[in-house]
Structures are given as structure tokens and as C-alpha cells.
Amino acid sequence: MTLAKKEWFSEWFNSPYYHILYKHRDFEEAENFIDNLQEAFNFVEGQTALDLGCGRGRHAFYMHKKGLNVTGIDLSEENIAFASKSEDETLHFFVHDMRNVFAENQFDYIFNLFTSFGYFDEEKDNIQAIKAASTALRKKGRMVLDFFNTEKVIRNLQQKNETTIDGIHFEISRVVDAGWIIKDIKIQDGSSELHFQERVKGVKREEFENYFKFAGLKILNLYGDYQLQPFETESDRMIFILEKEN
């Protein structure tokens, strides 16, 4: 019997090296972004929110402090085990694949942040993930999808860099291949040598618009950074503010 090949993110996101490499993505950055979203949305205490691809919960924790009833889901068992240590009556975490429907008409808000999308090999899986999110939203509920500005990333791709963090050496190479932005990560940790790869589909604005239309989501705004400035060609991010249509 042939064993199914593991998807790259199921290994990399469960690795402690992922969190070491991205440790600069700190709680302060996450909190500032949520503060700006609160100002835009006017959160009401007790409203429900789903953090879709929550990682270790840095966004979910702060949404919870803002008075939201938060559920975080992520495919990484390690991430959910870490986040679950902070659970209470209005903060919960579950291991779940975003391609599958988690709930129906349950959430006032859904947040998909820090490029937690575009990982799947099949186009149908991207569509399925957006449809599953739409299903979980209440009518007129809002969704935030935060993705890098694909065209700028490809235009300015840094082909190689090296960095040492906490005594661990990372050698990172990047290429664009058939629409995928591929990051090859070689790690030297003492005598241990490891290798991981990130593969993110370079989803363009027009493709996202098609996904949203198919899932019954209307675009209300498109921002270009975490300060919620309008999107422009040279913006670093594409932050879509969406509403579930009737």
C-alpha cells in the first residue's frame, strides 16, 4: 500500500523551527492590527469570531481580550496544543482543516490572517476553503482575509538570504515556479541538518475576487497594510474586507 504524501504545511507548521524563524512576528504587531480592525468594525462584546488558521493564537488571544467569543482552528496539532493552554469559556481551539465546514451560520466575524491561505496543491481546495468559511459566517457577517501583495512579492523576490537566530542557522532560497512562490529552508542546528519547504500559490487579486463571488462574499474594502491604508500597486498586503450576502 502506498502511503499518501504529507502536505508540506503539516510538517513545517508543526516544527519548532517555524516559530523560531518567524519570531519577529510578535504580539505587538498582532494587537495593533486587531485594534485597527476593531475601530473599523466596532466590535460588540459577546460577538463570535473564528480565527481561521490561528497558529499559536496570537491574534485570537487579543480578539478575546477585546470581548469577542473566539474560536481558533488550525491544522497543526502542536499549535493547537500550545494555544489550548489559554482556553476559557469564551476562547476555544480545535484541530481542523479549513477545507472542511466547521460550522454553519455561526460567526459574526472570520479572520484569516498572516497569509494563512494558498497552501493547497489543487485549485478546488482553495475554492472549497473559501466556501467553507462563507458557510460558517452568519448572514451579513464579515470576513477578513490577509494575504501578501502577490505581484509585488514576485516583482521584488529576494532569491537568497541567510540568518542566524538563537544559534540556529537558516539558509533560505526563493523561486517562482508555475505560479507558486517556493521558499526552500535549510537549517543547521548544531550537528543537525534539516530541510523544509514553503509553497504558497501566488494568488492574484482577480483570482481572489472570483473565489469570493463563487462563495457568496461581497468585497467591502481592500486595504494595503495593517494600518488599513487603501490598497495600491506597491502595498505590502492585500487585506480583503468581505461580507456574506443574503
Side-chain angles (χ1 to χ4, degrees):
M1 184 177 71
T2 302
L3 295 176
K5 182 182 177 182
K6 281 190 175 182
E7 293 169 302
W8 66 264
F9 44 85
S10 67
E11 296 182 334
W12 177 224
F13 292 164
N14 267 319
S15 163
Y17 296 102
Y18 170 82
H19 300 286
I20 293 169
L21 181 59
Y22 292 114
K23 67 187 299 182
H24 63 286
R25 293 289 183 178
D26 59 16
F27 281 90
E28 183 178 356
E29 178 192 59
E31 291 176 3
N32 287 337
F33 185 27
I34 298 303
D35 283 341
N36 291 330
L37 289 173
Q38 180 186 34
E39 187 173 339
F41 289 162
N42 295 314
F43 296 152
V44 174
E45 186 172 352
Q47 285 184 313
T48 53
L50 178 66
D51 189 355
L52 188 64
C54 64
R56 288 188 166 187
R58 67 192 177 109
H59 293 100
F61 297 151
Y62 196 57
M63 295 176 205
H64 178 242
K65 287 184 180 179
K66 292 288 186 181
L68 295 178
N69 187 333
V70 181
T71 300
I73 62 174
D74 198 278
L75 196 62
S76 167
E77 294 178 2
E78 296 291 333
N79 285 342
I80 293 301
F82 180 91
S84 294
K85 296 174 184 177
S86 300
E87 283 187 334
D88 64 21
E89 291 182 359
T90 56
L91 179 64
H92 302 281
F93 295 94
F94 300 94
V95 176
H96 186 80
D97 188 324
M98 70 171 66
R99 288 169 287 191
N100 301 324
V101 173
F102 179 76
E104 295 187 16
N105 303 314
Q106 182 171 324
F107 295 100
D108 297 300
Y109 303 106
I110 292 180
F111 301 93
N112 182 247
L113 308 177
F114 188 35
T115 313
S116 299
F117 190 81
Y119 303 155
F120 309 122
D121 288 337
E122 301 292 334
E123 178 74 354
K124 64 180 177 61
D125 288 340
N126 287 334
I127 296 170
Q128 189 172 323
I130 296 294
K131 286 183 66 180
S134 179
T135 299
L137 268 181
R138 292 176 175 162
K139 295 291 176 64
K140 297 296 183 181
R142 302 286 175 86
M143 179 172 176
V144 180
L145 191 148
D146 162 37
F147 201 76
F148 53 60
N149 180 357
T150 300
E151 294 189 354
K152 181 180 180 181
V153 166
I154 292 174
R155 218 169 30 243
N156 300 320
L157 194 69
Q158 183 182 13
Q159 294 185 343
K160 188 173 181 179
N161 72 290
E162 298 184 31
T163 185
T164 300
I165 305 170
D166 297 341
I168 300 167
H169 189 71
F170 296 85
E171 181 179 320
I172 303 168
S173 303
R174 302 172 184 83
V175 296
V176 179
D177 183 14
W180 290 85
I181 299 168
I182 301 172
K183 184 185 291 185
D184 211 56
I185 305 162
K186 295 180 180 179
I187 301 170
Q188 185 77 43
D189 183 5
S191 60
S192 299
E193 295 183 358
L194 303 100
H195 175 249
F196 295 95
Q197 189 178 81
E198 291 183 8
R199 291 172 51 87
V200 181
K201 184 182 179 185
V203 185
K204 297 184 179 179
R205 176 178 178 177
E206 296 77 13
E207 293 176 283
F208 274 119
E209 290 171 349
N210 288 332
Y211 294 161
F212 301 147
K213 184 176 181 180
F214 192 74
L217 296 168
K218 178 173 65 176
I219 300 174
L220 299 181
N221 284 296
L222 175 58
Y223 298 117
D225 59 31
Y226 294 136
Q227 288 69 50
L228 303 188
Q229 296 300 307
F231 176 81
E232 298 177 351
T233 303
E234 290 303 310
S235 295
D236 290 327
R237 311 297 298 175
M238 292 190 294
I239 301 173
F240 295 94
I241 309 299
L242 310 160
E243 182 179 79
K244 183 173 181 178
E245 298 183 292
N246 289 326

